[in-house]
Amino acid sequence: MPFGEIVCGAPGSGKSTYCYGKHQLFSALGRPISIVNLDPANESVPYPCAIDIASLITIQDVMNEHHLGPNGGLLYCMEYLEANYDWLEDRLEELGKDAYVVFDIPGQVELSTNHESLRRIVERLVKSGFRLAAVHLCDAHYVTDASKYISVLLLSLRTMLHLELPHVNVLSKVDLIKQYGDLDFNLDFYTEVQDLSYLENALSTSTPRFTALNMAMISLIEDYSLVGFETLAVEDKASMLHLTHAIDRATGYVFVPPPASNVPPGTVDDPSAPSADRGNSYALFSSAAGQMRDPGSDVRDIQERWIDSKEDYDAYEKAQWRKEGEMVRDEAAKKNNIRERK
């Protein structure tokens, strides 16, 4: 059964960077991954593409032929992809039934909030056997402004209702959040979407004419009670691993390492069995459905790392990297000395 992610979000939220980081992480872990670029306007793809929509249609060709602007051209491209879904289906079949596929979606928010083509493409993927989760990236700096934070909550809620997938909302670039000013509340207020009435003063101060409208939007978000956020610093391994765990929980995916990989003792029942048939002792209930206790699971630790004591942690990490580099250099020097003696 193939698994995958629909990576969506506004322009500049870090979708392509996330896909590239995901490819690097999974390659290091030995996990299979195939990335599909469905953004016809993405001319400089940083990751290796298993499937690229540019081989079917490009935004520039559409704009030139039909005299459309960038927004209209993207909508046309998605409608064209829907009409030629068999092109995508054939190439996905070539990836195999055990593929883990990450779909990089265009940043135009209409596609994931009210346009029907992307939703129908996702529905056909699910009907064909894909277990998908929507990973919605939002730039973390929006939480430093109450009105922008409410807009992000509404956008995330609308995306969840439109795509109808297991959904993981993510505050991306959390490592840069300190550059945009101080937070009115601790980070967990924003990730857990706690009592939003505390934002009333900030909203009323900035837009006093729209106090009633602001409170109505807050009530709408709280009535649904669906939105919550994970955090992401794409260059931080612990952050990427935590988000991967959260997405695996959403899809029910459990990675069973291949026979040749080094796994902890006792985790695999029968190492000689084929990788697809081997049971894992920790399995679904302890790995996927269990509580997340990894370093990125407590948002208070995230706040301390990236907001309260970022400079101290950065200095500590640099010292550790320097020490690790010296160890690698010393080990290489020892090996060279042994070779010379021989």
Side-chain angles (χ1 to χ4, degrees):
M1 176 183 293
F3 287 76
E5 305 171 23
I6 303 294
V7 182
C8 53
S13 58
K15 297 184 298 298
S16 294
T17 303
Y18 166 74
C19 291
Y20 182 47
K22 194 89 172 184
H23 180 269
Q24 290 180 310
L25 176 67
F26 275 31
S27 298
L29 295 176
R31 279 182 60 166
I33 184 171
S34 301
I35 304 180
V36 177
N37 175 40
L38 293 184
D39 186 356
N42 195 348
E43 298 178 351
S44 56
V45 180
Y47 48 78
C49 276
I51 304 172
D52 191 349
I53 193 175
S55 60
L56 175 69
I57 191 171
T58 65
I59 185 70
Q60 197 60 48
D61 291 341
V62 170
M63 292 170 63
N64 292 338
E65 183 174 349
H66 298 283
H67 307 289
L68 295 171
N71 291 337
L74 280 172
L75 296 178
Y76 180 93
C77 289
M78 287 298 105
E79 293 170 0
Y80 188 83
L81 177 61
E82 180 192 357
N84 295 273
Y85 177 79
D86 54 342
W87 172 88
L88 178 62
E89 187 176 37
D90 291 343
R91 280 149 185 81
L92 289 173
E93 288 180 357
E94 295 173 1
L95 300 179
K97 63 178 182 178
D98 294 326
Y100 191 95
V101 184
V102 177
F103 297 89
D104 188 4
I105 302 300
Q108 190 175 7
V109 294
E110 295 96 318
L111 295 174
S112 56
T113 57
N114 58 355
H115 195 259
E116 293 297 317
S117 288
L118 178 60
R119 186 176 65 83
R120 285 194 286 260
I121 291 171
V122 169
E123 287 177 351
R124 296 182 71 171
L125 288 171
V126 173
K127 287 181 180 179
S128 67
F130 267 90
R131 294 286 297 272
L132 296 172
V135 180
H136 184 229
L137 301 183
C138 305
D139 202 316
H141 84 266
Y142 288 128
V143 304
T144 60
D145 183 279
S147 58
K148 291 180 180 178
Y149 176 59
I150 293 299
S151 69
V152 163
L153 290 175
L154 288 171
L155 177 62
S156 300
L157 177 60
R158 181 61 186 137
T159 304
M160 296 175 75
L161 297 175
H162 185 68
L163 293 181
E164 297 181 334
L165 287 173
H167 206 94
V168 180
N169 293 305
V170 183
L171 292 177
S172 63
K173 307 179 189 177
V174 72
D175 51 324
L176 304 178
I177 193 173
K178 194 174 181 181
Q179 300 178 8
Y180 296 94
D182 297 330
L183 301 179
D184 294 327
F185 305 96
N186 287 335
L187 188 60
D188 59 350
F189 175 87
Y190 302 97
T191 58
E192 298 172 12
V193 191
Q194 299 173 4
D195 189 353
L196 297 178
S197 62
Y198 286 109
L199 296 174
E200 181 179 1
N201 289 337
L203 292 170
S204 299
T205 301
S206 60
T207 55
R209 293 177 55 193
F210 303 109
T211 300
L213 177 61
N214 291 333
M215 296 311 298
M217 290 189 294
I218 285 176
S219 297
L220 174 67
I221 295 166
E222 291 183 333
D223 287 345
Y224 275 98
S225 190
L226 290 175
V227 184
F229 292 97
E230 299 291 341
T231 59
L232 174 64
V234 74
E235 295 183 355
D236 184 68
K237 182 177 69 174
S239 180
M240 284 291 289
L241 287 171
H242 169 72
L243 182 56
T244 297
H245 191 181
I247 296 168
D248 288 347
R249 281 164 53 92
T251 60
Y253 182 86
V254 177
F255 173 58
V256 180
S261 62
N262 296 321
V263 295
T267 59
V268 177
D269 297 330
D270 183 10
S272 63
S275 59
D277 299 332
R278 287 184 299 143
N280 191 301
S281 297
Y282 295 127
L284 179 63
F285 294 103
S286 56
S287 293
Q291 293 184 1
M292 294 194 292
R293 296 189 178 93
D294 50 76
S297 59
D298 193 333
V299 71
R300 292 172 296 183
D301 294 337
I302 303 298
Q303 174 159 341
E304 183 178 6
R305 169 64 184 92
W306 298 114
I307 301 174
D308 296 340
S309 305
K310 184 178 186 299
E311 293 80 6
D312 295 336
Y313 274 91
D314 287 345
Y316 173 77
E317 279 192 351
K318 288 180 180 178
Q320 295 301 310
W321 291 338
R322 190 180 303 111
K323 191 178 297 183
E324 183 179 347
E326 292 173 353
M327 291 175 59
V328 172
R329 184 189 61 195
D330 293 343
E331 187 67 26
K334 288 180 182 179
K335 290 181 179 179
N336 289 333
N337 290 335
I338 293 173
R339 291 195 193 98
E340 290 175 358
R341 290 173 185 174
K342 290 182 178 180

